[in-house]
Amino acid sequence: MIIFAAMNKRSIIEARLGFERLREAVALKTTTEYAAYKASEEGISTDATQVEHRQAICDEMRVIRMFEASFPEPSYIDCIPFLVPLKGGQDYIDLESLVKLRSSLDLLRRILGFFSTPSSEKYPLLKQMSSSVISFPEVLRRIDTILDRFSQIKDSASEELFAIRKAIREQEGAASRKIQSILRSAAEEGLVDEEATVSVRDGKLLIPISSANKRKIRGIVYDESASGKTSFIEPIEVIENNNRLRQLHLDEQREIIRILTLFTDFLRPYIDDILSSEEFMGELDFIDAKCAVGMKYRGGKPVLNLQGEVLLRQARHPLLEEALKREGKEIVPLDITLNSQKRILLVSGPNAGGKSVALKTTGLLQYMYQWGLPVPASQASEMMVFNRFFVDIGDGQSLDNDLSTYSSHLLNMKEVLDGADENSLVLIDEFGSGTEPSAGGAIAEEILSVLDNRGCYGVITTHYSNLKFYATGSNRVINGAMLFDIRKISPEFKLEIGLPGNSFAFELARKMGLDEAVVKGAEERVGKDYVSIERNLKKIARNRKQLEERLVRIKATDRTLDSITEKYEKELSEIKALRKQIIDEAKEQARDIVNGANRQIENTIRQIKESQAQKERTAAARKELRDFKDEIDQRAVSQNDELISRKMAQIIERKKRQQERREKREAAAEIQSHQADVATPEQHKPAPEKVEIAVGAFVKVNGTDIVGKVIELSKGNLQVAVGDIVYKTKLNQVKPISNASAKDFYKAASRPSTTSSSLKPMSAQRLEFKPSIDVRGMRLEEAIPAVSRFIDDAMIVGVNQVSILHGKGNGVLKEEIRKYLKITPGIISFADEHIERGGSGITIVNL
């Protein structure tokens, strides 16, 4: 049993969850002792604010590593080990440490330079962390006066060093010329080989000569070869030069020490500030190491949930995923939910079906989250913070402590009962096992009851039926089943929450080749009640799945109808605006016509007057003109009013019919939901509507514009010919229409549309098609129809893969789109985009 309180307990929990391997991986990624120590010793946090800070700052570093090319490469150098002794009074810094200090301070300068740019505003936590850190340009400048670009002491580091090195070069030149002359003379006399060259050992210039001739050259035998055949002679003529060179080299070292001592004295006032900066670099090293391990496992930052919920989406056990990848296999992601209403998940199912994996995945990912390590799950996941962890995994046998498997379980359960509360996470594998089933099951049920009453959170795996029944009647414990493919007799490694799992013991026994008579006998021994319970569990699982699929289809249809309704409402608004515009334009045109006619008639009247016509005739002409003008105005208004009123009435009637159909579907869905837990699959079949439809009649499919002729009718099912396509449906899904209506429909459908993309050649459609769609910013009722049309177009042009950019946000849009994709024919699979190209903000769909 593991309680977080003590260090040894922490080590046990990390070992059993597998976190110790992740801790080691992070430590291996560090380059400084400071970061390595933190990776080895830092524990998880139980403070929600601190956990959120750890996750957020690691996520900022992840984004920087992915997208900021200007950020310096991680080459952190450990300077603390040699700076602390200097602070304590060590005489001087050595050359190697000085080189490290220059590299570290230069890296610090470049990092602080990055966080001083406007682009760093996107990383507020790291920017704030660096705000109190200072760089040391004067220290760097002084180092640059001492070291050259090859990390050696410059000649110009001091005047004395310059003079010493000049003298060394002069002495080396003189000694070289003298010994070369001696070597040539010895070669001419045949004492040494003509190809022999001067050797240098311990700074001395020596002549290699055969040991038989070593006495023929005056000098000191300084060394011999391993075989003894060659001796190295220091000629007496260059001994003085070599001694002088040796003295100059000693002077050089003393001067270098003096220079380093002076620099150390200059450095000491800065050491405290530099140590603070080095700690900042160590923190960056630690964060960078966690980021590197997190990116390896495609981890991200979940959302902090303060309402007491754990919502893991597409969760993957990182170590298992890595092991499966080495074998060329893919891991099956899990969706796991714990909340204030259902706090304990009781997982059951077949052996080797993934129960323990679900438990360990929950525990490990929660531990990673509170330690500050990116979590390998969808970034739409939500996680809370627990104060204590209790884990019972493995048999726990101990010869030293004389503990059996069940004794160790009981000891663990005692610790759980002593310390678990509403802020604890309890993880128990194979609950109640290890002893006689009846007694073990009873004790396990009572412990589960205590944990339930305390409000603990947890994931528990079991095979015991009494625990499954307890969960069925509990308010805060929920069953979960590891799914099993009955046809293939193999586990699917998928978790379905809400139903108890089946052990499938008899099916597995048959698959393993156990004698059928033995299996039959075993079924008889357990009794009909047990077999009946197992069969009912299977039926409930099938019924539940069918009902959920139907509800998903209904919701998708409703969303589509809502979108269409909105479209018609928008059209109605546009028509009202158009009505006013048409009327105003018509009146204006009529006025122009009348005014033109008026001018013409006034002209005529003037001519009449000029010809002395009668006044009565002039008045009659004016009245006739006014009557003509009023008639034009009234006719324009009445014609437009009638046309627009008829269009509005059609739209209102269509909207009313759509609302009635939606209410009927919702009522049917509620009835099916109420009956799902008690009905068999046969009881879920809707009663066929009695419609008088015969072979040869025309029908229209409800909710669509599909019209066809009935070619076959049998037992509530019928086949409808729509052109060259045969459409299978049920009687209650169609309604009869007259032959005249069908003809009108076909005439309307056959009219060519100048805007239809179907008239374009397929090659043109394929060239114009874009294999991605951006639905960010759309409402749900807008996004689903847009995705539907997009998928249809992709299938028409023969594209194999498309992408949907929906963004991350709170994950609602992504979840609803993926529910729609699950029920859409023609889709093979879909998954998140690679994390470096958008991750969970983009869904890749394979068609």
Side-chain angles (χ1 to χ4, degrees), residues 361-422:
T361 299
T362 304
L364 179 59
L365 268 58
Q366 182 66 44
Y367 206 88
M368 292 171 67
Y369 176 67
Q370 293 188 218
W371 197 65
L373 200 59
V375 176
S378 167
Q379 293 189 36
S381 299
E382 300 181 27
M383 304 186 78
M384 60 180 288
V385 176
F386 294 102
N387 291 340
R388 306 186 78 183
F389 286 78
F390 295 85
V391 179
D392 182 18
I393 299 175
D395 58 26
Q397 291 189 55
S398 173
L399 296 177
D400 296 334
N401 297 326
D402 194 23
L403 287 177
S404 67
T405 298
Y406 190 63
S407 298
S408 69
H409 284 312
L410 289 178
L411 185 60
N412 293 341
M413 292 306 102
K414 179 180 182 302
E415 294 185 7
V416 171
L417 296 176
D418 288 344
D421 57 22
E422 69 276 4

Coordinates of all heavy atoms in Angstrom, one line a residue, residues 361-422:
T361 N -3.1 3.2 -16.1 CA -3.1 4.4 -17.0 C -3.7 5.6 -16.2 O -3.1 6.7 -16.2 CB -3.9 4.2 -18.2 OG1 -3.3 3.2 -19.0 CG2 -4.0 5.5 -19.1
T362 N -4.8 5.4 -15.5 CA -5.4 6.4 -14.6 C -4.4 6.9 -13.6 O -4.1 8.1 -13.4 CB -6.6 5.9 -14.0 OG1 -7.5 5.5 -15.0 CG2 -7.3 7.1 -13.2
G363 N -3.8 6.0 -12.8 CA -2.9 6.3 -11.8 C -1.6 7.0 -12.3 O -1.2 8.0 -11.7
L364 N -1.0 6.5 -13.3 CA 0.3 7.0 -13.8 C 0.1 8.4 -14.4 O 0.8 9.3 -14.1 CB 0.9 6.1 -14.9 CG 2.2 6.6 -15.5 CD1 3.2 6.8 -14.5 CD2 2.7 5.6 -16.6
L365 N -1.0 8.6 -15.2 CA -1.2 9.9 -15.8 C -1.6 11.0 -14.7 O -1.2 12.1 -14.9 CB -2.3 9.8 -16.9 CG -1.9 9.6 -18.3 CD1 -1.1 8.3 -18.4 CD2 -3.1 9.5 -19.3
Q366 N -2.3 10.6 -13.7 CA -2.6 11.5 -12.6 C -1.3 11.9 -11.9 O -1.1 13.1 -11.5 CB -3.6 10.9 -11.6 CG -4.0 11.8 -10.5 CD -4.8 13.0 -11.0 OE1 -5.7 12.9 -11.8 NE2 -4.5 14.2 -10.5
Y367 N -0.4 10.9 -11.7 CA 0.8 11.2 -11.0 C 1.7 12.1 -11.9 O 2.4 13.0 -11.4 CB 1.5 9.9 -10.7 CG 2.5 9.9 -9.5 CD1 2.1 9.7 -8.2 CD2 3.8 10.2 -9.7 CE1 2.9 9.7 -7.2 CE2 4.7 10.3 -8.6 CZ 4.2 10.0 -7.3 OH 5.1 10.1 -6.3
M368 N 1.8 11.8 -13.2 CA 2.5 12.7 -14.1 C 2.0 14.1 -14.0 O 2.8 15.1 -14.0 CB 2.4 12.1 -15.5 CG 3.1 10.8 -15.7 SD 2.8 10.1 -17.4 CE 3.6 11.3 -18.5
Y369 N 0.7 14.2 -14.0 CA 0.1 15.6 -14.0 C 0.5 16.4 -12.8 O 0.9 17.5 -12.9 CB -1.5 15.4 -14.1 CG -2.2 16.7 -14.0 CD1 -2.1 17.6 -15.0 CD2 -3.0 17.0 -12.9 CE1 -2.8 18.8 -14.9 CE2 -3.7 18.2 -12.8 CZ -3.6 19.1 -13.8 OH -4.3 20.3 -13.7
Q370 N 0.4 15.7 -11.6 CA 0.7 16.5 -10.4 C 2.3 16.7 -10.2 O 2.7 17.5 -9.4 CB 0.1 15.8 -9.2 CG -1.4 15.8 -9.2 CD -2.0 15.3 -7.9 OE1 -3.1 14.6 -8.0 NE2 -1.5 15.6 -6.8
W371 N 3.1 15.9 -11.0 CA 4.5 16.1 -10.9 C 4.9 17.2 -11.9 O 6.0 17.8 -11.8 CB 5.2 14.8 -11.3 CG 6.7 14.8 -10.9 CD1 7.2 14.9 -9.7 CD2 7.8 14.8 -11.8 NE1 8.6 14.9 -9.7 CE2 9.0 14.8 -11.0 CE3 8.0 14.7 -13.2 CZ2 10.3 14.7 -11.5 CZ3 9.3 14.6 -13.7 CH2 10.4 14.6 -12.9
G372 N 4.1 17.5 -12.9 CA 4.4 18.6 -13.8 C 4.9 18.1 -15.2 O 5.4 18.8 -16.0
L373 N 4.6 16.8 -15.5 CA 5.1 16.2 -16.7 C 3.9 16.2 -17.7 O 2.8 15.9 -17.3 CB 5.5 14.7 -16.5 CG 6.4 14.0 -17.5 CD1 7.7 14.8 -17.6 CD2 6.7 12.6 -17.0
P374 N 4.1 16.6 -19.0 CA 3.1 16.5 -20.0 C 2.4 15.2 -20.0 O 3.0 14.1 -19.9 CB 3.8 16.8 -21.3 CG 5.0 17.6 -20.9 CD 5.4 17.1 -19.6
V375 N 1.1 15.2 -20.1 CA 0.2 14.0 -20.0 C -0.1 13.4 -21.4 O -0.6 14.2 -22.2 CB -1.0 14.3 -19.2 CG1 -2.0 13.0 -19.2 CG2 -0.7 14.7 -17.8
P376 N 0.2 12.2 -21.7 CA -0.1 11.6 -23.0 C -1.6 11.3 -23.2 O -2.1 10.2 -23.0 CB 0.7 10.3 -23.0 CG 0.9 9.9 -21.6 CD 0.9 11.2 -20.8
A377 N -2.4 12.4 -23.4 CA -3.8 12.3 -23.6 C -4.2 13.5 -24.4 O -3.4 14.4 -24.6 CB -4.6 12.2 -22.3
S378 N -5.5 13.5 -24.9 CA -6.0 14.7 -25.6 C -5.9 15.9 -24.7 O -6.2 15.8 -23.5 CB -7.4 14.4 -26.0 OG -8.0 15.6 -26.4
Q379 N -5.6 17.1 -25.3 CA -5.5 18.3 -24.5 C -6.9 18.8 -24.1 O -7.0 19.8 -23.3 CB -4.7 19.3 -25.2 CG -3.2 19.0 -25.4 CD -2.4 20.1 -26.0 OE1 -2.6 21.3 -25.7 NE2 -1.4 19.8 -26.8
A380 N -7.9 18.1 -24.6 CA -9.3 18.4 -24.1 C -9.6 17.7 -22.8 O -10.6 17.9 -22.2 CB -10.3 18.0 -25.1
S381 N -8.6 16.9 -22.3 CA -8.8 16.2 -21.0 C -8.8 17.2 -19.9 O -8.2 18.2 -20.0 CB -7.7 15.1 -20.8 OG -7.7 14.2 -21.9
E382 N -9.5 16.8 -18.8 CA -9.5 17.6 -17.6 C -9.1 16.7 -16.4 O -9.5 15.6 -16.3 CB -10.9 18.1 -17.4 CG -11.4 19.0 -18.5 CD -12.8 19.6 -18.3 OE1 -13.2 19.8 -17.1 OE2 -13.5 19.9 -19.2
M383 N -8.3 17.3 -15.5 CA -7.8 16.6 -14.3 C -7.9 17.4 -13.1 O -7.7 18.6 -13.2 CB -6.4 16.1 -14.6 CG -6.2 15.3 -15.9 SD -4.5 14.6 -16.1 CE -4.6 13.2 -15.0
M384 N -8.2 16.8 -12.0 CA -8.2 17.4 -10.7 C -6.9 17.1 -9.9 O -6.0 16.4 -10.4 CB -9.4 17.0 -9.9 CG -9.5 15.5 -9.6 SD -11.0 15.0 -8.7 CE -10.6 15.7 -7.1
V385 N -6.8 17.6 -8.7 CA -5.6 17.4 -7.9 C -6.0 16.6 -6.6 O -7.0 17.0 -5.9 CB -5.0 18.7 -7.5 CG1 -3.8 18.5 -6.5 CG2 -4.5 19.5 -8.7
F386 N -5.3 15.5 -6.4 CA -5.6 14.7 -5.2 C -4.5 15.0 -4.1 O -3.4 15.2 -4.4 CB -5.6 13.2 -5.5 CG -6.7 12.8 -6.5 CD1 -6.5 12.6 -7.8 CD2 -8.0 12.6 -6.0 CE1 -7.5 12.3 -8.7 CE2 -9.0 12.3 -6.8 CZ -8.8 12.1 -8.2
N387 N -5.0 14.8 -2.8 CA -4.0 15.0 -1.7 C -3.3 13.7 -1.3 O -2.1 13.8 -0.9 CB -4.8 15.5 -0.5 CG -5.3 16.9 -0.7 OD1 -4.8 17.7 -1.5 ND2 -6.3 17.3 0.1
R388 N -3.9 12.6 -1.6 CA -3.2 11.3 -1.2 C -3.5 10.2 -2.2 O -4.5 10.3 -2.9 CB -3.7 10.8 0.2 CG -3.6 11.9 1.3 CD -4.0 11.3 2.6 NE -2.9 10.5 3.2 CZ -3.0 9.8 4.3 NH1 -4.1 9.8 5.0 NH2 -2.0 9.1 4.8
F389 N -2.5 9.3 -2.4 CA -2.6 8.2 -3.3 C -2.6 6.9 -2.5 O -1.7 6.8 -1.6 CB -1.5 8.2 -4.3 CG -1.6 9.3 -5.4 CD1 -1.3 10.6 -5.1 CD2 -2.0 8.9 -6.6 CE1 -1.4 11.6 -6.1 CE2 -2.1 9.9 -7.6 CZ -1.8 11.2 -7.3
F390 N -3.4 6.0 -2.8 CA -3.4 4.6 -2.3 C -3.4 3.6 -3.4 O -4.3 3.7 -4.3 CB -4.6 4.4 -1.4 CG -4.6 5.2 -0.1 CD1 -5.2 6.5 -0.1 CD2 -4.1 4.8 1.1 CE1 -5.2 7.3 1.0 CE2 -4.1 5.5 2.2 CZ -4.7 6.8 2.2
V391 N -2.4 2.8 -3.5 CA -2.3 1.8 -4.6 C -2.1 0.4 -4.1 O -1.1 0.2 -3.3 CB -1.2 2.3 -5.6 CG1 -1.1 1.3 -6.7 CG2 -1.4 3.7 -6.1
D392 N -2.9 -0.5 -4.6 CA -2.7 -1.9 -4.2 C -2.6 -2.7 -5.6 O -3.7 -3.0 -6.1 CB -3.8 -2.4 -3.4 CG -3.7 -3.9 -3.0 OD1 -2.5 -4.4 -3.1 OD2 -4.6 -4.5 -2.6
I393 N -1.4 -2.9 -6.0 CA -1.2 -3.6 -7.3 C -0.1 -4.7 -7.0 O 0.9 -4.4 -6.4 CB -0.7 -2.7 -8.4 CG1 -1.7 -1.6 -8.7 CG2 -0.4 -3.4 -9.7 CD1 -1.3 -0.5 -9.7
G394 N -0.4 -5.9 -7.6 CA 0.6 -7.0 -7.3 C 0.2 -7.8 -6.1 O -0.7 -7.5 -5.4
D395 N 0.9 -9.0 -6.0 CA 0.5 -9.9 -4.9 C 1.1 -9.5 -3.6 O 0.6 -9.8 -2.5 CB 0.9 -11.3 -5.2 CG 2.4 -11.5 -5.5 OD1 3.2 -10.7 -5.0 OD2 2.8 -12.4 -6.2
G396 N 2.2 -8.7 -3.5 CA 2.8 -8.2 -2.3 C 3.3 -9.2 -1.3 O 3.4 -9.0 -0.1
Q397 N 3.6 -10.4 -1.8 CA 4.1 -11.5 -0.9 C 5.5 -11.1 -0.4 O 6.3 -10.4 -1.1 CB 4.3 -12.8 -1.7 CG 3.0 -13.4 -2.1 CD 3.2 -14.8 -2.6 OE1 3.8 -15.7 -2.0 NE2 2.7 -15.1 -3.8
S398 N 5.8 -11.5 0.9 CA 7.1 -11.2 1.5 C 7.5 -12.3 2.4 O 6.8 -12.6 3.4 CB 7.0 -9.8 2.3 OG 8.1 -9.6 3.0
L399 N 8.5 -13.0 2.1 CA 9.1 -14.0 2.9 C 9.7 -13.4 4.2 O 9.6 -14.0 5.3 CB 10.1 -14.9 2.2 CG 9.6 -15.6 1.0 CD1 10.8 -16.3 0.3 CD2 8.5 -16.6 1.4
D400 N 10.3 -12.2 4.1 CA 10.9 -11.6 5.3 C 9.8 -11.3 6.3 O 10.1 -11.5 7.5 CB 11.6 -10.3 4.8 CG 12.8 -10.6 3.9 OD1 13.3 -11.8 4.0 OD2 13.2 -9.7 3.1
N401 N 8.7 -10.8 5.9 CA 7.6 -10.4 6.8 C 6.6 -11.4 7.0 O 5.6 -11.2 7.7 CB 7.0 -9.1 6.3 CG 8.0 -7.9 6.3 OD1 8.9 -7.9 7.1 ND2 7.8 -7.0 5.3
D402 N 6.8 -12.6 6.4 CA 5.9 -13.7 6.5 C 4.5 -13.3 6.1 O 3.5 -13.6 6.8 CB 5.8 -14.2 8.0 CG 5.1 -15.6 8.1 OD1 5.1 -16.3 7.0 OD2 4.6 -15.9 9.2
L403 N 4.4 -12.7 4.9 CA 3.1 -12.2 4.4 C 2.7 -13.0 3.2 O 3.5 -13.2 2.2 CB 3.1 -10.7 4.0 CG 3.2 -9.7 5.1 CD1 3.3 -8.3 4.6 CD2 1.9 -9.8 6.0
S404 N 1.5 -13.6 3.2 CA 0.9 -14.2 2.0 C 0.3 -13.1 1.1 O 0.3 -12.0 1.4 CB -0.1 -15.2 2.4 OG -1.3 -14.5 2.9
T405 N -0.1 -13.6 -0.1 CA -0.7 -12.6 -1.0 C -1.9 -11.9 -0.4 O -2.0 -10.7 -0.4 CB -1.2 -13.4 -2.3 OG1 0.0 -13.9 -3.0 CG2 -1.9 -12.4 -3.3
Y406 N -2.8 -12.7 0.2 CA -4.1 -12.1 0.7 C -3.7 -11.3 2.0 O -4.4 -10.3 2.2 CB -5.1 -13.2 1.0 CG -6.4 -12.6 1.4 CD1 -7.1 -11.9 0.4 CD2 -7.0 -12.8 2.6 CE1 -8.4 -11.4 0.7 CE2 -8.2 -12.3 3.0 CZ -8.9 -11.5 2.0 OH -10.1 -11.0 2.3
S407 N -2.8 -11.8 2.8 CA -2.4 -11.0 4.0 C -1.9 -9.6 3.6 O -2.2 -8.6 4.2 CB -1.3 -11.7 4.8 OG -1.8 -13.0 5.2
S408 N -1.1 -9.6 2.5 CA -0.6 -8.3 2.1 C -1.7 -7.4 1.6 O -1.7 -6.2 1.8 CB 0.5 -8.4 1.0 OG -0.1 -8.9 -0.2
H409 N -2.7 -8.0 0.9 CA -3.9 -7.2 0.5 C -4.6 -6.6 1.7 O -5.0 -5.5 1.7 CB -4.8 -8.1 -0.4 CG -4.3 -8.3 -1.8 ND1 -3.8 -7.3 -2.6 CD2 -4.2 -9.4 -2.5 CE1 -3.5 -7.8 -3.8 NE2 -3.7 -9.1 -3.7
L410 N -4.8 -7.5 2.7 CA -5.5 -7.0 3.9 C -4.8 -5.9 4.6 O -5.4 -4.9 5.1 CB -5.8 -8.2 4.8 CG -6.8 -9.2 4.3 CD1 -6.9 -10.3 5.4 CD2 -8.2 -8.6 4.1
L411 N -3.5 -6.0 4.6 CA -2.7 -4.9 5.2 C -2.8 -3.6 4.5 O -2.9 -2.5 5.0 CB -1.2 -5.3 5.3 CG -0.2 -4.4 6.0 CD1 -0.6 -4.2 7.5 CD2 1.2 -4.9 5.9
N412 N -2.8 -3.8 3.1 CA -3.0 -2.6 2.3 C -4.4 -2.0 2.5 O -4.6 -0.8 2.6 CB -2.9 -3.0 0.8 CG -1.5 -3.3 0.5 OD1 -0.5 -3.0 1.2 ND2 -1.3 -4.1 -0.6
M413 N -5.5 -2.9 2.6 CA -6.8 -2.4 2.8 C -6.9 -1.6 4.2 O -7.7 -0.7 4.3 CB -7.8 -3.5 2.8 CG -8.0 -4.1 1.4 SD -8.4 -2.9 0.1 CE -6.8 -2.7 -0.7
K414 N -6.2 -2.1 5.2 CA -6.2 -1.4 6.5 C -5.7 0.0 6.4 O -6.2 0.9 6.9 CB -5.4 -2.2 7.5 CG -5.3 -1.6 8.9 CD -4.4 -2.5 9.8 CE -4.4 -1.9 11.2 NZ -3.9 -0.5 11.2
E415 N -4.6 0.1 5.6 CA -4.1 1.5 5.4 C -5.0 2.4 4.6 O -5.1 3.6 4.9 CB -2.7 1.4 4.7 CG -1.6 0.7 5.6 CD -0.3 0.8 4.9 OE1 -0.1 1.4 3.9 OE2 0.7 0.1 5.4
V416 N -5.7 1.8 3.7 CA -6.7 2.5 2.9 C -7.8 3.0 3.9 O -8.2 4.2 3.9 CB -7.4 1.7 1.8 CG1 -8.6 2.4 1.2 CG2 -6.3 1.4 0.7
L417 N -8.3 2.1 4.7 CA -9.4 2.5 5.6 C -9.0 3.5 6.7 O -9.8 4.3 7.2 CB -10.0 1.2 6.3 CG -10.6 0.2 5.3 CD1 -11.1 -1.0 6.1 CD2 -11.8 0.8 4.6
D418 N -7.7 3.4 7.0 CA -7.2 4.4 8.0 C -7.0 5.8 7.5 O -7.1 6.8 8.3 CB -5.8 3.9 8.6 CG -6.0 2.7 9.5 OD1 -7.1 2.4 10.0 OD2 -5.0 2.0 9.7
G419 N -6.7 5.9 6.2 CA -6.3 7.2 5.7 C -7.1 7.8 4.5 O -7.0 9.0 4.2
A420 N -7.9 7.0 3.8 CA -8.5 7.5 2.6 C -9.7 8.4 2.9 O -10.5 8.2 3.9 CB -9.0 6.3 1.7
D421 N -9.8 9.5 2.2 CA -10.9 10.5 2.3 C -11.4 10.9 1.0 O -11.0 10.4 -0.1 CB -10.5 11.6 3.2 CG -9.3 12.4 2.7 OD1 -9.0 12.3 1.5 OD2 -8.6 13.1 3.5
E422 N -12.2 12.0 1.0 CA -12.8 12.5 -0.3 C -11.8 13.1 -1.3 O -12.1 13.4 -2.4 CB -14.0 13.5 0.0 CG -13.5 14.8 0.5 CD -13.3 14.8 2.0 OE1 -13.4 13.7 2.6 OE2 -13.1 15.8 2.6

